[in-house]
Amino acid sequence: MKFGIAVFPSKKLQDLANSYRKRYDPHYSLIPPHLTLKEPFDATDDEINKIAKKLGEVAKNAEPFTLRAYKISSFQPVNNVIYMKVDTVPELLNLYETLNKSDFGKESQYSFVPHITIAQKLSNDEHSDVYGSLRMAGVDHEETVDRFHLLYQLENGSWTVYETYRLGGDS
């Protein structure tokens, strides 16, 4: 089964992200707006039980953090993804680094760029037009994050919460 680890922002930020995603993100119906902490990985039932226990320990030792989305950016020319850039605060970076050790499936193949995707799989022309207008609209949002979620992928490709972990506390 495929698993991943993510943070879901507040409803206010999700609503803003979804106002773009419903038009520009084909994954809109598969998962709510999120900040990925660990890319999808495969695990058996046995493995995920061990990982879930370890995640409880990680959460107890991690601190809540400020999620600040402060600009619209893009991964172009690597790919045509447009996203809300999120500040790399030490608590978020520490959590990401802990979750991307080999104890939790494979290590990340990308460097960490905290973000919430709002558009993807666009043609070059679409990307240019959409990116230009979204950049002008901008984003300025701040909130405190006190939990992360272990997700699993259903047969239809959508993602759902397997377990939720409170930072600095009990899961």
Side-chain angles (χ1 to χ4, degrees):
M1 191 178 274
K2 199 169 279 306
F3 294 88
I5 302 172
V7 165
F8 293 120
S10 65
K11 180 176 178 349
K12 182 178 178 183
L13 190 56
Q14 285 194 39
D15 287 349
L16 177 61
N18 276 333
S19 70
Y20 302 121
R21 290 181 72 226
K22 65 184 162 198
R23 287 181 61 193
Y24 306 121
D25 185 355
H27 296 161
Y28 168 75
S29 63
L30 301 177
I31 188 168
H34 62 281
L35 187 155
T36 301
L37 292 173
K38 179 144 190 79
E39 296 165 30
F41 62 94
D42 292 310
T44 64
D45 287 346
D46 235 14
E47 291 167 333
I48 205 60
N49 288 334
K50 290 175 185 158
I51 289 171
K53 282 190 177 98
K54 289 180 191 174
L55 290 175
E57 289 303 311
V58 169
K60 282 180 193 168
N61 296 314
E63 295 296 317
F65 61 89
T66 299
L67 183 151
R68 182 175 153 254
Y70 64 95
K71 77 176 188 177
I72 305 295
S73 198
S74 171
F75 287 126
Q76 197 180 44
V78 176
N79 60 39
N80 287 349
V81 170
I82 300 170
Y83 59 88
M84 295 177 180
K85 179 105 175 83
V86 172
D87 232 353
T88 310
V89 294
E91 298 87 354
L92 172 58
L93 187 58
N94 290 340
L95 181 58
Y96 172 83
E97 287 173 349
T98 301
L99 294 174
N100 281 278
K101 292 182 177 149
S102 56
D103 296 359
F104 302 103
K106 66 178 184 176
E107 295 182 35
S108 177
Q109 61 186 33
Y110 303 106
S111 57
F112 186 45
V113 178
H115 70 280
I116 298 168
T117 299
I118 55 176
Q120 61 184 320
K121 301 190 188 278
L122 304 172
S123 71
N124 288 336
D125 287 344
E126 277 179 312
H127 176 275
S128 182
D129 290 346
V130 171
Y131 183 46
S133 64
L134 292 182
R135 250 182 42 201
M136 286 190 302
V139 62
D140 183 18
H141 177 88
E142 192 171 298
E143 64 186 64
T144 300
V145 170
D146 66 354
R147 66 196 67 208
F148 66 87
H149 310 275
L150 175 61
L151 310 171
Y152 67 99
Q153 192 172 33
L154 301 172
E155 286 182 23
N156 68 2
S158 66
W159 290 85
T160 192
V161 173
Y162 183 88
E163 197 161 334
T164 297
Y165 301 89
R166 287 185 62 87
L167 298 172
D170 298 323
S171 55

